[in-house]
Amino acid sequence: MRIGLIGTGRIGTFHAEVLSRHPAVDALLLADADPERAAAAAGRTGATAGRTGATAVSVDDLFTGAGEPGGLPDAVVICSATSAHAGLIARAARAGLPVFCEKPIALDLPGTLAALAEVEAAGSLLQLGFMRRFDAGYGEARAAVRGGRLGRLHTVRAVTSDPTPPPAAYLPLSGGLYRDCLVHDFDILRWVTGREVSEVYATGSDTGPAMFREAGDVDTAAALLSLDDGTLATATATRCNGAGYDVRMELAGELDQIAVGLDDRTPLTSAEPGGPGAPAKPWPGFLERFAPAYEAELDAFLRVVRGELANPCDGREALHALRIAEACEVSRRERRPVAMTEIPGG
């Protein structure tokens, strides 16, 4: 297979290295708004990541096949700046190319719905990059809930904590903490439990670094989510967790209680005498914590393109998670509970 990849920043370069090692990938075409960055990424990928060579091309050439002996690629992976996602998805759909795109489709509902309309009109394939669906722990939690091991599920607690804030320039482009960070928790909550969110109540704090206030964002947030079967869920996130990268989910039922993300690298220290101390090597970031999941989601995408697997996370799934994030933003701004029926796109 010939795979085109657009966007050669940190996550794009990581995906390029994964794809270059995949036995189904014969050629890798790398494009970026900055041609020099694409060329540098192609050189690094070809030199370090395995048997598949990487070639730098322009975005236009990737979508037209101009200058490439093989013509159009078989599929496209989008890892560009978020603001470019919707336009690139639409362009790929019109070219008849299957797409894997890092979340989100767009930073707002109108942009998301417009891109989905392009995909549906073209009858093309879109898989979104919610990598937690491919993490072993979350998969085990889903099986436990769906299989009845926990009995009636009554409480879910989700945590996402970044060790350090992102660059200040990123914040105005991110969509805010709910859309950029907690959207992963909203997606995995639906995926693990099989239930829909019916109402949210959210709040946030901007008492950390001044750049969050300047961007109109918060550095710490919490949401109470009511599910349609009465289960209560909390989701918290912060950009300022000095202990390390902490992503967990706790699920409590009438019969049992389990935790995802609890291992010898979880940046959590017990205050009890004789309890577990701080880990010797806490998780430093998302790429390290979820590396196997990132590889698994790309493998799944290639299998979907080859017709071997049903799409595990289509664009409508991303829409559901974004609508929950939108409801949280309304709730935080207006200081009230928000029913999901108030949010368009359902």
Side-chain angles (χ1 to χ4, degrees), residues 31-43:
D32 195 285
D34 180 349
E36 291 185 1
R37 188 163 75 165

Side-chain angles (χ1 to χ4, degrees), residues 94-267:
R94 292 193 291 269
L97 295 174
V99 171
F100 173 92
C101 184
E102 279 297 328
K103 65 84 188 165
I105 294 173
L107 288 178
D108 58 20
L109 285 172
T112 299
L113 292 168
L116 288 177
E118 291 269 11
V119 171
E120 290 167 5
S124 58
L125 168 72
L126 171 62
Q127 180 181 325
L128 262 292
F130 282 110
M131 77 292 187
R132 294 188 195 180
R133 293 180 177 221
F134 299 87
D135 177 75
Y138 284 107
E140 179 64 25
R142 174 183 163 104
V145 171
R146 305 294 184 95
R149 171 182 155 190
L150 306 186
R152 181 185 67 87
L153 185 67
H154 52 73
T155 308
V156 182
R157 294 175 287 269
V159 175
T160 293
S161 300
D162 289 330
T164 54
Y170 173 75
L171 293 178
L173 309 175
S174 71
L177 191 57
Y178 294 104
R179 299 185 189 93
D180 180 54
C181 185
L182 275 165
V183 72
H184 280 289
D185 297 276
F186 302 150
D187 175 72
I188 205 64
L189 176 65
R190 296 180 60 251
W191 188 77
V192 167
T193 66
R195 311 306 307 189
E196 298 295 341
V197 173
S198 59
E199 184 180 81
V200 310
Y201 186 81
T203 188
S205 169
D206 62 1
T207 58
M211 63 182 182
F212 290 96
R213 293 185 291 280
E214 293 164 1
D217 196 6
V218 294
D219 59 78
T220 303
L224 173 63
L225 311 161
S226 298
L227 305 191
D228 59 9
D229 65 346
T231 301
L232 295 180
T234 59
T236 63
T238 184
R239 302 285 199 186
C240 306
N241 194 57
Y245 181 71
D246 187 12
V247 170
R248 282 176 287 123
M249 175 180 271
E250 300 170 5
L251 300 107
E254 290 183 334
L255 300 180
D256 200 0
Q257 179 172 237
I258 59 175
V260 179
L262 184 60
D263 60 22
D264 61 2
R265 299 190 68 181
T266 304

Side-chain angles (χ1 to χ4, degrees), residues 13 16-17 20-21 40-52:
T13 299
E17 292 175 353
S20 73
R21 295 192 298 266
R44 289 194 304 271
T45 302
T48 64
R51 64 174 187 81
T52 299

